[in-house]
Structure formats: structure tokens, C-alpha cells
């Protein structure tokens, strides 16, 4: 059958139709992956319109990260059953990738929202605010842990969040229980935590107490954070409040957006009650 029948395309025509360059077709032919329907006596390649679908499937598999050697293996062992199995496998992979992308999108949305909110804050103010119940995912207890152990605890918590798909894009915070606060051990944290706006089933969570929180901001290196806690406790006394169950700390600005520790901002939320 000749090209004049109108049922065949030259290499250039086929490449244009498939939106690729001719070199790709030459290479596929060279490695035996995808060859023209026939070559004439002068060596010119001609492709059948019936090959278009096969070429698109090859490109689809490439886009799905299937290696050329694996595609070649399929081409040499074609069958409806093999093709269907391959399509099911690739669909499962796409579903997984879509879920991963959605998780990352949620994380990015959270970071955008938090940064936009931070731009409106007055870091010199201490306010009494009513906060709703919030769901947190906690680390193991880290009270009285040594400095090197604290680094390990953070590393383990980050790994746990990643493996369990519980990283929501919110900052990793620390929860310090009342017992430590009363003793002035403001850096003797009880747990690491991350907020979970949409808790997943199958995990244990901690729910904060809804109610009044005295909120302030520590500016600078965390080594001097006890001074900010003292300011908060003085304000607590002035407002005739008493310490509640715990304090929560979260970075507003840290090394992600600031180069100097003097510019770091830590948000402190102390659960409080009215004195009886």
C-alpha cells in the first residue's frame, strides 16, 4: 500500500499530529519501541492512522513514570488482560498522587492563611480572648527531656506526621502543663503538637479546653521567653484571673521567613479562669 492512498502519514506529519519532534519517532524506531507501518524503497517512514492511539498510550505511560524498558516489555507481550492490569495499576498510582497533591495543597493553604493573619497582628499587645475547642495531634510526653533528646523528639514527631499524613501545614507547637508553669519551668514542655482541622479516623487526639486564653507574643530568641511569660502572669493578676490547664506556644515568624533570631515571633496562649 502506498502513501498516495491517503491512509499513511510521513514522519513529519505524524510528529506534528502527536505534537512531538521527529527525533522522538526516530529514537523509538531505533530502540524497537514504536516503528512505522512500513518504509519504502528509499527508506522513508510511513505511519498508519491506526498507530496514533498506540503512540498516545506510550506517551501516557511515560507521563505516568513508566520506564521505556517496561513499556517495551508490554509491547512485546500485549494482551487485553495485560493492558487492563496495567491500567488498573496506573489508576491506583494516580489516585495516590492526587491524594498527595491535595494534602500538599491543604498545607500550602494553611501557611498562606496563617501568614496573612500574622500581618494583621500587634505583637506588643496582650489580649484576653475566647478560643474554641481545637483538635491537636500530640507527640509522646517530653517533660524533663535533655536538649539532645528534644531534638530527637522533634525529628521523630516530624517523621510521624509525614508517615501518617498528619502534617496539616500548621506550625509545630508546644504544650506546657500547669505543673511546669507554676514552677516557672516555661521551657519544660510536655508535648509537641500540630493542629488538625479535619481529624482523621484511627488516631488519638487531644482536644483543647474551649474558653478564655490570655494571648501574647514573644519577640526574639526563645532563651528570653521567661520575660514574656512574666508579663503575661502580671496581666493575669491584673485581670483577676488564675492559671488554667496549660499554655500553648506556636511560632508566628521563625527561620522560614526571618534570618535573625531577634525577629522571631512566638505566640503564647495561656488557658485562664476567673478567680473564684
Amino acid at each position: 500500500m502506498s502513501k498516495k492512498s491517503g491512509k499513511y502519514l510521513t514522519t513529519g506529519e505524524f510528529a506534528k499530529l502527536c505534537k512531538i519532534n521527529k527525533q522522538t519517532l526516530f529514537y523509538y524506531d531505533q530502540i524497537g519501541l514504536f516503528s512505522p507501518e512500513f518504509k519504502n524503497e528509499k527508506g522513508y517512514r510511513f505511519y498508519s492512522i491506526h498507530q496514533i492511539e498506540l503512540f498516545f498510550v506510550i506517551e501516557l505511560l511515560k507521563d505516568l513514570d513508566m520506564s521505556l524498558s517496561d513499556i517495551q516489555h508490554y509491547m512485546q507481550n500485549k494482551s487485553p488482560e495485560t493492558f487492563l492490569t496495567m491500567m488498573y495499576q496506573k489508576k491506583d498510582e494516580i489516585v495516590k498522587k492526587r491524594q498527595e497533591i491535595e494534602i500538599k495543597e491543604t498545607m500550602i493553604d494553611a501557611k498562606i492563611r496563617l501568614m496573612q493573619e500574622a500581618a494583621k497582628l500587634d505583637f506588643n499587645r496582650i489580649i484576653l480572648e475566647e478560643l474554641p475547642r481545637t483538635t491537636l495531634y500530640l507527640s509522646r510526653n517530653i517533660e524533663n527531656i535533655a536538649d539532645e533528646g528534644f531534638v530527637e523528639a522533634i525529628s521523630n514527631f516530624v517523621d510521624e506526621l509525614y508517615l501518617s499524613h498528619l502534617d496539616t501545614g500548621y506550625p509545630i507547637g508546644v504544650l506546657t502543663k500547669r505543673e511546669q508553669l507554676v514552677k516557672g519551668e516555661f521551657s519544660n514542655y510536655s508535648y509537641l503538637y500540630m493542629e488538625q482541622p479535619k481529624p482523621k479516623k484511627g488516631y488519638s487526639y487531644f482536644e483543647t479546653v474551649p474558653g478564655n486564653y490570655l494571648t501574647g507574643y514573644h519577640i526574639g530568641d526563645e532563651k528570653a521567653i521567661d520575660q514574656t511569660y512574666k508579663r503575661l502572669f502580671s496581666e493575669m493578676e491584673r485581670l483577676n484571673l488564675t492559671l488554667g490547664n496549660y499554655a500553648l506556644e506556636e511560632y508566628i515568624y521563625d527561620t522560614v521567613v526571618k534570618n535573625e533570631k531577634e525577629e522571631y515571633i512566638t505566640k503564647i496562649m495561656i488557658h485562664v479562669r476567673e478567680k473564684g
Side-chain angles (χ1 to χ4, degrees):
M1 191 174 290
S2 70
K3 197 257 180 187
K4 291 182 180 179
S5 68
K7 294 183 179 179
Y8 291 92
L9 304 170
T10 65
T11 301
E13 290 170 337
F14 194 86
K16 183 177 181 181
L17 183 64
C18 297
K19 297 179 175 56
I20 57 164
N21 59 59
K22 293 192 292 184
Q23 297 304 317
T24 299
L25 292 174
F26 293 153
Y27 178 65
Y28 284 0
D29 186 20
Q30 179 184 344
I31 65 175
L33 176 62
F34 183 79
S35 298
E37 186 81 9
F38 75 89
K39 299 177 185 177
N40 66 12
E41 62 278 3
K42 295 183 179 180
Y44 291 120
R45 297 168 168 83
F46 292 98
Y47 295 84
S48 165
I49 58 174
H50 300 296
Q51 291 182 280
I52 295 173
E53 181 62 27
L54 175 58
F55 182 82
F56 285 162
V57 169
I58 291 172
E59 291 300 286
L60 172 64
L61 295 174
K62 272 181 58 184
D63 289 342
L64 296 174
D65 299 325
M66 192 169 181
S67 69
L68 290 180
S69 61
D70 285 343
I71 297 174
Q72 281 179 306
H73 179 74
Y74 166 72
M75 299 291 283
Q76 295 163 4
N77 299 275
K78 293 178 186 174
S79 74
E81 294 78 17
T82 303
F83 181 74
L84 189 59
T85 298
M86 185 170 60
M87 289 295 100
Y88 276 128
Q89 177 185 345
K90 290 303 173 183
K91 180 173 180 178
D92 289 342
E93 291 175 6
I94 288 175
V95 169
K96 183 177 179 180
K97 285 183 180 180
R98 184 190 300 126
Q99 291 171 341
E100 291 173 351
I101 290 172
E102 288 174 351
I103 289 171
K104 290 176 181 177
E105 183 180 14
T106 299
M107 291 169 60
I108 290 172
D109 286 341
K111 292 182 184 300
I112 289 172
R113 184 171 61 257
L114 291 169
M115 202 54 56
Q116 289 174 336
E117 292 173 355
K120 303 174 185 177
L121 297 173
D122 181 353
F123 299 129
N124 294 305
R125 288 187 63 202
I126 294 176
I127 61 172
L128 179 64
E129 57 183 344
E130 187 172 348
L131 297 179
R133 189 185 310 276
T134 303
T135 302
L136 308 178
Y137 184 75
L138 301 184
S139 70
R140 64 180 179 85
N141 189 285
I142 57 172
E143 290 170 8
N144 303 310
I145 198 168
D147 289 345
E148 58 272 17
F150 181 67
V151 173
E152 183 182 359
I154 292 178
S155 177
N156 291 340
F157 189 57
V158 169
D159 288 344
E160 191 176 344
L161 292 171
Y162 174 76
L163 293 173
S164 300
H165 301 293
L166 293 171
D167 189 341
T168 58
Y170 282 77
I172 292 178
V174 290
L175 182 153
T176 308
K177 292 194 294 190
R178 187 178 192 279
E179 291 85 337
Q180 279 66 47
L181 297 171
V182 169
K183 292 185 287 186
E185 298 177 353
F186 305 120
S187 296
N188 188 6
Y189 311 123
S190 303
Y191 301 96
L192 303 168
Y193 71 81
M194 181 170 283
E195 187 174 336
Q196 303 290 309
K198 296 180 180 179
K200 292 183 177 181
K201 292 181 179 180
Y203 294 93
S204 297
Y205 297 104
F206 173 82
E207 291 193 337
T208 63
V209 178
N212 290 327
Y213 287 77
L214 199 60
T215 299
Y217 301 89
H218 173 67
I219 302 173
D221 195 320
E222 62 184 19
K223 292 179 180 178
I225 202 167
D226 59 321
Q227 299 302 317
T228 302
Y229 269 98
K230 289 175 182 178
R231 286 179 53 226
L232 285 162
F233 272 66
S234 294
E235 183 66 5
M236 194 187 310
E237 188 66 27
R238 188 185 72 82
L239 295 173
N240 199 35
L241 300 171
T242 186
L243 181 61
N245 294 3
Y246 46 75
L248 304 171
E249 285 182 33
E250 297 174 0
Y251 270 127
I252 300 295
Y253 295 154
D254 60 3
T255 186
V256 174
V257 295
K258 296 290 185 179
N259 287 322
E260 304 298 330
K261 285 188 175 181
E262 291 73 18
E263 297 179 322
Y264 289 2
I265 306 291
T266 305
K267 183 178 183 179
I268 302 172
M269 297 162 281
I270 302 178
H271 178 232
V272 294
R273 298 187 178 96
E274 293 183 1
K275 286 184 178 179

